[in-house]
Amino acid sequence: MLSENTAHRGDPLVAVTLPDPARSVVAIPPPGDGPGYWSGAPSAVLADGEVYLAFRLRRPIGKGRGYAVVVARSADGVRFEPLLTITKEQMDAESLERPRLVRTPGGVWRLYLSCATHGSKHWRVELLEAGDPAGFDPRQVRVVLPGDAKTAVKDPVIVHRDGLWHLWASCHPLADPDEADQMVTDYATSVDGVEWSWHGTALERREGCWDARGVRVSAVLFAGEGDERSVVAYYDGRASAAENYEERTGVAIGADPAALTALGTAPKAVSPYAGGGLRYLEVLPMPDGRKRLYYEMTRPDGAHELRTELR
């Protein structure tokens, strides 16, 4: 189902806006044609009336993999002007995956970068800070989510609410390299967005379901306050290792950001083309109450493009 939907977590009802590719347009085309060429993994911030977007560019394995992250600006949320490009060489990484762009309440811009460690399945997250989105300097970087010998950490979703930073990150087991594509989403909090305290797994895989191999939270929205607070999380899921790179979008909800429950027995949004990949959904609330969606979607030739729609 690819339309606006409501999902019941108990009381009250939680409104969920789902992607509808038929209503979307291309924001960022892939850097090439065919499988392995991707633009996507978006992270968006609305500031001073403009949309700032960080996204990843990828070529096939052997031709560059995740070779760059771009920060861009748009007046209308559709047509973007690149401000800055950061390469995997500048980050001493084998590949770059999804970035996370945020602006602190004090006006500082932060770019969290998912970096693959050379010669391994390990991932870490590094942080850049700047006074404006064009000013990130890869020479001024620090590791904030190092992972460890047992776990790779990447693709953070970061939200500031009620004076606290909330983080959901994709975590992968490293004991067996052939099983490292498995993923769950762990939850952490921070008072400063730099030093994090982990609170366990917020979203688990479901045996025998479409998301049995991996679940990766891609966007989180809070609603309500206190005992009435609810959390809506969009996530990428896959049933098998063969579906790696072609995850589809599901929805999970909860009263606690540390404990999310997946809804339904099928993906909520997919590409209409072969592979079905529709992933890394970003939901950007707009001042007029609408939402601008960004997501990475598989197109007919197997490449992935970054699409957007206003709902």
Side-chain angles (χ1 to χ4, degrees), residues 108-131:
V108 175
W109 287 86
R110 289 175 171 170
L111 184 64
Y112 298 81
L113 293 170
S114 298
C115 302
T117 303
H118 289 285
S120 75
K121 298 287 187 177
H122 179 264
W123 288 83
R124 64 193 187 273
V125 177
E126 304 199 17
L127 172 63
L128 301 171
E129 292 185 310

Side-chain angles (χ1 to χ4, degrees), residues 11-219:
D11 187 21
L13 287 172
V14 179
V16 178
T17 302
L18 296 173
D20 182 353
R23 299 169 64 169
S24 70
V25 297
V26 177
I28 309 292
D33 299 327
Y37 289 97
W38 306 342
S39 63
S43 175
V45 174
L46 181 66
D48 304 321
E50 296 187 297
V51 176
Y52 293 86
L53 186 70
F55 57 92
R56 185 264 305 269
L57 294 175
R58 184 190 189 274
R59 301 187 187 103
I61 294 175
K63 296 184 179 180
R65 201 174 164 194
Y67 66 93
V69 162
V70 178
V71 179
R73 176 178 58 202
S74 173
D76 62 6
V78 178
R79 293 176 290 271
F80 284 90
E81 167 199 7
L83 300 176
L84 177 71
T85 299
I86 297 174
T87 68
K88 65 176 184 177
E89 289 81 11
Q90 289 174 301
M91 298 305 299
D92 190 25
E94 190 170 296
S95 182
L96 298 175
E97 202 150 320
R98 192 188 198 183
R100 175 56 49 175
L101 181 67
V102 302
R103 191 186 192 192
T104 72
V108 175
W109 287 86
R110 289 175 171 170
L111 184 64
Y112 298 81
L113 293 170
S114 298
C115 302
T117 303
H118 289 285
S120 75
K121 298 287 187 177
H122 179 264
W123 288 83
R124 64 193 187 273
V125 177
E126 304 199 17
L127 172 63
L128 301 171
E129 292 185 310
D132 66 81
F136 294 113
D137 183 352
R139 295 169 298 180
Q140 305 296 320
V141 67
R142 52 181 160 170
V143 178
V144 291
L145 300 175
D148 55 37
K150 297 180 179 179
T151 308
V153 181
K154 61 187 182 72
D155 302 331
V157 173
I158 299 173
V159 177
H160 188 264
R161 179 181 171 91
D162 299 330
L164 191 66
W165 292 95
H166 303 261
L167 176 147
W168 298 261
S170 177
C171 295
H172 299 248
L174 297 178
D176 183 348
D178 292 334
E179 300 294 321
D181 69 286
Q182 297 182 71
M183 57 186 178
V184 298
T185 296
D186 285 2
Y187 170 68
T189 55
S190 173
V191 295
D192 61 5
V194 179
E195 300 290 337
W196 296 91
S197 297
W198 292 98
H199 304 291
T201 298
L203 185 63
E204 265 284 9
R205 301 171 295 153
R206 296 183 294 172
E207 186 175 356
C209 293
W210 70 274
D211 48 11
R213 187 71 175 180
V215 289
R216 174 178 58 213
V217 166
S218 65

